[in-house]
RNA sequence: CGGGGUGUAGCUCAGGUGGCAGAGCGUCGGCUUUGGGAGCCGAAGGUCGCAGGUUCAAGUCCUGCCACCCCGACCA
């Protein structure tokens, strides 16, 4: 492809209002164009990357025995009402009506559609197991789309569904998908952690997430470098610590005027935050107000709280509610003088802490050196703390690493969550009707492109790995008005194309500096620079990923590049 | 959904106290240049987010709306 005719236009200025590196370079490099919040178009170069990613996924899915199909995007409401998700999926569903008033949604995921298709076809255990998948656009009216392709309202997803006759067979399907996913991410050259995940409201017995470690991640993953354990931080259990061995000092009431935050209190009293009792009041829908107590240096994990309460309908109490319920201000909530009708939960982190600083529900005063048994009694304990770097691994007790990442894949063993309400039954060997056991397996295809840029870039631009690069080779002719350079470039371009190298030929009438800048930004892995040295019969080869450059006789250059590309593809 | 911010040329932005719509980059024409976003000359390019209001006069002041970005809670 000649760049002078190619529909790829880079930006010289940094895109405004853009935070994530991947978002910035994809826009600046001309790979995507924004249409509205969370909606993007792919230019030819962006689309080539998308295609290459899809092909890698497709190959591995096919290899695992899954069969590709294509479901509809416009989905009738009736199916979604069968599973109850027409309402429970909430305002994230894009809903619409046809001219006759019949209701539809734009598919955000396809459990309903696939289950409907399968129940109309599968009647016997002889037809099972089967795994079906598609690569297709999905629509979710996200509350907060952001970071370009990382979270869009319209995005490309690979979704697969397994159908089995029994639990054991379903487990095998699940494992085969997990294995395929592992291969897919390796082929994509992405560093990914396979983490145990919450099954959440979807239910089922098993779930894993495939998380790429990136600066702009939205998932928090804890992993252990010594035993290999990894899990989404929200499901990592933190047990009660040992009782602290420390001399109990006398309880004392001290004046702390206007000291409201843990940080201020810690500075004011010269006491570490870990010796302060933090109290947070929640209002839970349909239940008593809930006071959560946690060590001052830790944060509450509201996902854990949600799991414990069994509802997501809770929120922090407002200043007015704290005032009317406890008669105090935020910052002075404590365990003393608590009124009736307030539920109390102790986080495990507080167990056995001696000489605590505790507020007493009276503005501007705290107790210091409060001790369990002597000054107060414990209530019900639970694990509600966010996992932090250095917490003990639940498997081997080594210190955990905690990092942010991007959830690129998520697999679930669903069980009969959809087959049961939708009556997707088959007749088993014993002649009885049973619901099909299902699993579902998603990969955020367009999100993968962002993850790749997050993991492969420098301060000049993108460094695409060969298997997903928009082109494998860029031939840069530094001065197209120089006859010799132009002729050599043309010749090399033809040779490269003949030898099957996916080549972009920069034949634009631009200055050398501007061509180099574009080349670094667009990030094609190999570059042949045709410049002054053609007079000596030489061209320069550059490797974008490693930064290496070296001169070669021009007759050898294409074969050499071909070798390097083939090596990178393995 | 709560909190914060921004909307002016294709892009990045400037336009105190109301008074002729601006710059740099990009684009087009011409000349010169060609190993790290070149130089000179000339030109085109605007619903100042939208609607209403105040005023002799609104990019600027007031009201309402819309869009987009960022921080938090949820999802691939």
């Amino acid at each position: 492809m000649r760049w002078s005719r190619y529909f790829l236009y880079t930006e010289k200025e940094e895109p405004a209002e853009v935070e994530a590196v991947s978002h910035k370079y994809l826009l600046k490099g001309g790979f995507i164009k924004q249409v509205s919040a969370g909606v993007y178009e792919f230019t030819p170069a962006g689309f080539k990357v998308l295609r290459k990613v899809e092909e890698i996924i497709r190959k591995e899915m096919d290899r695992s025995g899954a069969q590709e199909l294509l479901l509809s995007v416009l989905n009738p409401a009736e199916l979604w009402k069968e599973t109850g998700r027409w309402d429970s999926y909430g305002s994230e569903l894009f809903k619409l009506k046809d001219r006759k008033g019949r209701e539809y949604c734009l598919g955000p995921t396809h459990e309903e559609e696939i289950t409907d298709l399968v129940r109309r076809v599968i009647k016997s255990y002889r037809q099972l197991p089967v795994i079906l998948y598609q690569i297709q656009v999905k629509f979710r009216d996200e509350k907060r789309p952001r970071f370009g392709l990382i979270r869009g309202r319209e995005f490309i997803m690979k979704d697969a569904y397994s159908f089995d006759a029994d639990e054991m067979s379903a487990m095998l399907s699940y494992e085969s998908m997990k294995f395929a996913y592992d291969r897919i991410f390796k082929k994509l050259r992405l560093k990914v952690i396979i983490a145990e995940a919450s099954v959440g409201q979807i239910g089922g017995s098993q779930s894993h997430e495939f998380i790429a470690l990136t600066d702009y991640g939205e998932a928090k993953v804890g992993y252990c470098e010594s035993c290999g354990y990894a899990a989404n931080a929200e499901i990592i259990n933190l047990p009660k610590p040992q009782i602290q061995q420390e001399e109990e000092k006398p309880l004392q009431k001290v004046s702390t005027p206007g000291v409201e935050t843990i940080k201020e209190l810690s500075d004011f009293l010269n006491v570490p935050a870990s010796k302060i009792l933090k109290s947070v009041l929640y209002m839970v829908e349909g239940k008593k107000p809930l006071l959560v107590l946690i060590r001052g240096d830790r944060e509450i994990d509201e996902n854990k709280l949600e799991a414990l309460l069994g509802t997501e309908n809770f929120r922090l109490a407002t200043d007015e509610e704290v005032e009317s319920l406890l008669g105090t201000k935020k910052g002075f909530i404590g365990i003393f003088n608590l009124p009736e009708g307030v539920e109390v939960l102790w986080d495990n982190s507080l167990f056995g802490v001696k000489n605590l600083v505790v507020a007493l529900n009276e503005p501007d005063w705290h107790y210091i050196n409060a001790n369990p048994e002597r000054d107060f009694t414990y209530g019900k304990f639970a694990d509600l703390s966010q996992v932090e770097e250095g917490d003990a691994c639940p498997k081997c007790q080594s210190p955990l690493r905690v990092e942010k990442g991007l959830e690129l894949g998520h697999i679930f063993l669903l069980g009969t969550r959809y087959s049961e309400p939708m009556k997707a039954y088959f007749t088993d060997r014993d002649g009885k009707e049973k619901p099909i056991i299902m699993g579902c397996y998603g990969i955020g295809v367009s999100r993968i492109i962002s993850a790749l840029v997050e993991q492969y870039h420098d301060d000049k631009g993108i460094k695409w790995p060969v298997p997903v690069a928009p082109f494998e080779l860029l031939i840069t002719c530094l001065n197209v008005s120089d006859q010799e350079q132009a002729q050599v470039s043309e010749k090399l371009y033809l040779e490269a194309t003949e030898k099957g190298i996916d080549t972009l030929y920069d034949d634009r009438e631009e200055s050398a500096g501007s061509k180099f800048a574009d080349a670094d930004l667009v990030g094609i892995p190999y570059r042949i620079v045709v410049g002054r040295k053609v007079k000596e019969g030489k061209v320069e080869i550059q490797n974008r990923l490693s930064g290496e450059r070296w001169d070669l006789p021009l007759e050898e250059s294409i074969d050499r590049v071909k070798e390097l590309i083939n090596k990178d593809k393995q």
Side-chain angles (χ1 to χ4, degrees):
Chain A
M1 179 60 68
R2 288 164 199 275
W3 201 334
S4 63
R5 302 304 317 150
Y6 194 49
F7 195 78
L8 175 61
Y9 300 97
T10 59
E11 303 281 346
K12 194 167 172 181
E13 301 277 354
E14 302 276 299
E17 295 183 321
V18 160
E19 205 57 33
V21 177
S22 57
H23 192 190
K24 185 176 81 180
Y25 284 149
L26 287 172
L27 283 171
K28 198 177 175 204
F31 293 100
I32 58 172
K33 297 286 174 192
Q34 182 170 27
V35 175
S36 66
V39 182
Y40 290 84
E41 293 162 335
F42 290 88
T43 64
F47 189 54
K48 279 194 82 178
V49 176
L50 182 71
R51 281 290 203 219
K52 289 193 177 180
V53 171
E54 284 182 5
E55 274 316 304
I56 289 172
I57 294 173
R58 200 167 264 129
K59 201 174 262 176
E60 292 303 325
M61 291 302 292
D62 291 346
R63 189 140 82 107
S64 75
Q67 302 169 49
E68 187 171 11
L69 50 52
L70 188 60
L71 299 169
S72 67
V73 171
L74 195 60
N75 301 149
E78 287 74 23
L79 293 178
W80 287 74
K81 286 177 178 167
E82 283 187 48
T83 59
R85 290 211 293 181
W86 182 255
D87 296 316
S88 72
Y89 212 93
S91 44
E92 275 180 30
L93 263 190
F94 274 106
K95 296 178 179 174
L96 65 158
K97 285 181 185 168
D98 69 11
R99 62 174 72 199
K100 289 180 255 174
R102 189 180 174 195
E103 292 180 298
Y104 296 85
C105 67
L106 300 177
T109 174
H110 281 75
E111 283 80 9
E112 280 78 0
E113 282 63 36
I114 195 86
T115 306
D116 177 55
L117 172 65
V118 165
R119 72 180 169 185
R120 287 183 282 151
V121 173
I122 301 280
K123 303 291 171 199
S124 156
Y125 75 95
R126 292 172 194 272
Q127 294 169 284
L128 299 173
V130 62
I131 302 179
L132 301 167
Y133 80 97
Q134 61 172 344
I135 296 175
Q136 188 204 43
V137 64
K138 296 281 186 274
F139 294 88
R140 293 184 191 175
D141 196 356
E142 291 281 350
K143 283 172 241 169
R144 193 180 159 209
R146 59 173 154 177
F147 299 150
L149 301 181
I150 288 179
R151 188 200 322 214
R153 293 191 297 165
E154 175 180 327
F155 60 100
I156 312 290
M157 179 164 148
K158 190 285 305 176
D159 46 325
Y161 306 89
S162 64
F163 302 86
D164 288 273
D166 59 59
E167 291 283 352
M168 181 58 83
S169 169
M171 281 289 290
L172 290 174
S173 294
Y174 183 88
E175 287 302 322
S176 78
M177 284 294 104
K178 195 170 151 199
F179 188 60
Y181 273 37
D182 193 34
R183 277 198 312 242
I184 286 167
F185 292 113
K186 285 200 170 82
K187 295 226 157 154
L188 289 167
R189 304 291 190 265
L190 280 167
K191 291 178 272 297
V192 162
I193 287 185
I194 304 177
E196 292 176 21
S198 154
V199 290
Q201 293 152 326
I202 293 181
S205 50
Q206 271 217 67
S207 174
H208 285 88
E209 287 170 339
F210 293 74
I211 296 172
L213 299 184
T214 55
D215 291 341
Y216 280 91
E218 302 184 305
K220 213 164 112 182
V221 58
Y223 61 97
C224 176
E225 284 171 330
S226 70
C227 77
Y229 171 83
N232 189 308
E234 71 192 42
I235 65 160
I236 295 179
N237 194 260
L238 297 173
K240 287 181 187 172
Q242 301 287 311
I243 294 175
Q244 293 180 355
Q245 300 301 320
E246 194 175 301
E247 191 190 336
E248 296 190 358
K249 296 179 193 160
L251 185 71
Q252 203 183 332
K253 186 172 171 180
V254 296
S255 169
T256 52
V259 179
E260 292 187 9
T261 65
I262 297 287
K263 174 87 178 62
E264 287 167 5
L265 192 60
S266 166
D267 292 345
F268 185 84
L269 296 173
N270 196 23
V271 164
S274 60
K275 287 286 191 188
I276 297 172
L277 181 140
K278 177 152 76 180
S279 316
V280 182
L281 188 67
Y282 284 96
M283 306 302 286
V284 186
E285 199 175 277
K287 288 189 185 167
K288 291 180 193 168
L290 175 70
L291 186 62
V292 177
L293 308 173
I294 190 166
R295 224 169 64 192
D297 60 334
R298 304 211 63 123
E299 299 294 329
I300 295 169
D301 188 331
E302 294 191 351
N303 292 306
K304 287 184 175 178
L305 186 56
E306 180 183 330
L308 188 81
L309 293 174
T311 172
E312 56 177 355
N313 297 315
F314 60 88
R315 57 171 175 81
L316 285 172
T318 62
D319 290 349
E320 292 72 36
E321 285 163 339
V322 170
E323 175 77 43
S324 71
L325 276 163
L326 304 178
T328 187
K329 298 187 287 187
K330 282 182 183 172
F332 300 97
I333 307 174
I335 47 173
F336 297 101
N337 310 316
L338 265 185
E340 292 286 310
V342 175
E343 202 79 37
V344 179
L345 269 178
W346 292 72
D347 179 68
N348 286 347
S349 60
L350 280 170
F351 183 77
V353 179
K354 296 284 177 68
N355 299 317
L356 266 179
V357 175
V358 183
L360 49 148
N361 296 322
E362 184 183 332
D364 303 337
W365 288 92
H366 281 85
Y367 280 124
I368 59 170
N369 302 326
N371 282 292
E373 309 302 333
R374 190 189 71 183
D375 306 315
F376 60 85
T377 49
Y378 285 137
K380 188 178 160 196
F381 273 91
D383 169 33
L384 295 171
S385 180
Q386 283 182 25
V387 171
E388 285 165 20
E389 184 89 18
D391 282 338
C393 168
K395 287 263 161 70
C396 75
Q397 311 308 315
S398 306
L400 282 175
R401 302 286 317 274
V402 175
E403 299 215 42
K404 286 170 87 179
L406 267 180
E407 184 184 335
L408 298 181
H410 200 162
I411 59 178
F412 293 92
L413 199 50
L414 290 172
T416 59
R417 163 69 180 87
Y418 297 92
S419 52
E420 191 75 75
M422 292 187 70
K423 299 190 170 49
Y425 295 144
F426 70 100
T427 306
D428 206 349
R429 193 183 298 269
D430 56 12
K432 290 192 178 129
E433 278 215 320
K434 295 175 185 170
I436 304 174
I437 314 282
M438 289 174 58
C440 70
Y441 315 89
I443 290 182
V445 180
S446 37
R447 179 180 280 182
I448 280 176
I449 296 172
S450 290
L452 283 163
V453 179
E454 290 289 336
Q455 290 192 355
Y456 292 94
H457 71 269
D458 61 15
D459 59 348
K460 289 181 176 159
I462 304 172
K463 305 196 278 192
W464 296 110
V466 168
V468 293
F471 293 91
E472 294 163 340
L473 171 65
L474 174 69
I475 296 176
T476 301
C477 179
L478 282 186
N479 184 0
V480 289
S481 43
D482 179 307
Q483 289 268 322
E484 196 180 3
Q485 286 188 29
Q487 278 172 13
V488 167
S489 303
E490 287 284 337
K491 215 178 111 229
L492 291 177
Y493 171 53
L494 288 177
E495 186 188 344
T497 308
E498 267 168 33
K499 291 184 171 163
I501 302 176
D502 194 3
T503 306
L504 182 64
Y505 167 30
D506 191 351
D507 60 339
R508 298 174 302 167
E509 292 181 39
E510 294 285 334
S511 72
S514 139
K515 288 188 176 186
F516 282 128
D518 269 349
D520 290 338
L521 174 62
V522 168
I524 294 167
Y526 289 97
R527 188 185 314 170
I528 291 180
V529 180
V530 180
R532 283 175 184 151
K533 289 173 210 150
V534 285
K535 292 199 184 347
E536 309 156 29
K538 283 185 175 171
V539 290
E540 181 177 298
I541 299 195
Q542 294 190 20
N543 180 323
R544 177 71 180 102
L545 191 62
S546 67
E548 295 167 279
R549 320 168 166 196
W550 64 98
D551 291 339
L552 265 186
L554 55 93
E555 310 79 51
E556 295 172 24
S557 59
I558 297 296
D559 287 332
R560 183 71 190 120
V561 166
K562 179 86 185 162
E563 274 172 40
L564 291 165
I565 289 169
N566 285 342
K567 215 160 94 189
D568 286 345
K569 279 183 174 170
Q570 284 164 12

